[in-house]
Amino acid sequence: MTDAKPVSTPIDKSTKMVKAMSTSSKGEIEEMQEIPYQNVIGSLMYASIGTRPDITHVVNRASQFANNPGRQHWIAVKRILRYLKGTSSLKLKFTRSSDTSLKVFYDADLGSDEDDRSSYTRYLFALAGAAISWASRKQPTVALSTIESEYMALTETSEEVLWIRETLRKLGLFLTTVRSST
């Protein structure tokens, strides 16, 4: 991927990752065994957990096919690598600030996983303008409506707010406000 052409997004909006794209023929299985899909996914997970909230969701989706990836899954993973190449100068920036408000951004989608119709919860927490916590997780229950999916996302996000507030309190930092945005 050293000479790969950089891209501006980690996934193309027309890209779908579904189980039907997994390998099925003997030739495909042998071909995909030569590709380091699981190793690359592990490295991408490390980056997404520690420093790259912008790839968290797509890495989460791609990791679901680690046991039986297909060519299309591999193409999607290579696009993430191309995106990282094009955005390698981006970084999390922590600066001194008197603003002690916690900003919370969260969202949910309804049934975006085409294999089991599960929804995803995504959130990002920023303190003093810097991202301190983020996640993208499949919701444990299939939502029957958008409002139900949003409610599950709000519940999970609220749990994280309580944990962060308590952790910061123990560190001697008392939050002035918590502002949320969907």
Side-chain angles (χ1 to χ4, degrees):
M1 299 299 297
T2 313
D3 299 326
K5 181 180 173 186
V7 293
S8 60
T9 59
I11 191 167
D12 186 297
K13 74 178 194 174
S14 65
T15 300
K16 294 185 180 194
M17 286 191 270
V18 292
K19 287 180 185 174
M21 295 175 173
S22 295
T23 57
S24 55
S25 71
K26 185 176 181 175
E28 270 185 18
I29 291 170
E30 289 173 2
E31 177 187 341
M32 291 306 296
Q33 286 177 343
E34 299 298 318
I35 294 174
Y37 190 90
Q38 291 178 341
N39 292 345
V40 173
I41 288 294
S43 297
L44 289 172
M45 285 181 133
Y46 181 79
S48 78
I49 289 168
T51 61
R52 296 300 301 250
D54 52 338
I55 64 169
T56 300
H57 182 68
V58 70
V59 170
N60 178 309
R61 295 293 300 263
S63 70
Q64 295 176 34
F65 306 100
N67 287 335
N68 188 20
R71 286 187 196 119
Q72 294 303 314
H73 299 126
W74 180 238
I75 290 169
V77 167
K78 289 195 299 187
R79 182 176 177 99
I80 300 169
L81 295 172
R82 291 173 52 211
Y83 170 74
L84 289 175
K85 180 176 182 173
T87 59
S88 62
S89 62
L90 295 179
K91 48 189 106 164
L92 295 175
K93 186 175 181 181
F94 297 95
T95 59
R96 183 177 287 247
S97 173
S98 59
D99 178 16
T100 59
S101 64
L102 180 67
K103 292 180 180 70
V104 181
F105 303 91
Y106 73 95
D107 190 28
D109 56 23
L110 178 62
S112 67
D113 189 308
E114 293 184 24
D115 290 319
D116 63 7
R117 304 310 302 163
S118 292
S119 304
Y120 281 84
T121 294
R122 293 176 291 277
Y123 61 72
L124 182 132
F125 289 79
L127 182 64
I132 61 167
S133 178
W134 55 86
S136 174
R137 294 187 187 107
K138 189 184 280 194
Q139 293 179 350
T141 307
V142 175
L144 301 177
S145 66
T146 302
I147 194 74
E148 186 178 359
S149 176
E150 292 287 343
Y151 180 75
M152 284 191 259
L154 181 59
T155 301
E156 186 173 343
T157 304
S158 297
E159 291 171 356
E160 186 76 359
V161 166
L162 294 173
W163 184 85
I164 288 174
R165 285 182 77 167
E166 182 61 17
T167 301
L168 293 174
R169 185 191 65 74
K170 288 179 179 178
L171 294 172
L173 178 63
F174 297 92
L175 297 175
T176 55
T177 56
V178 176
R179 288 182 242 155
S180 71
S181 177
T182 57

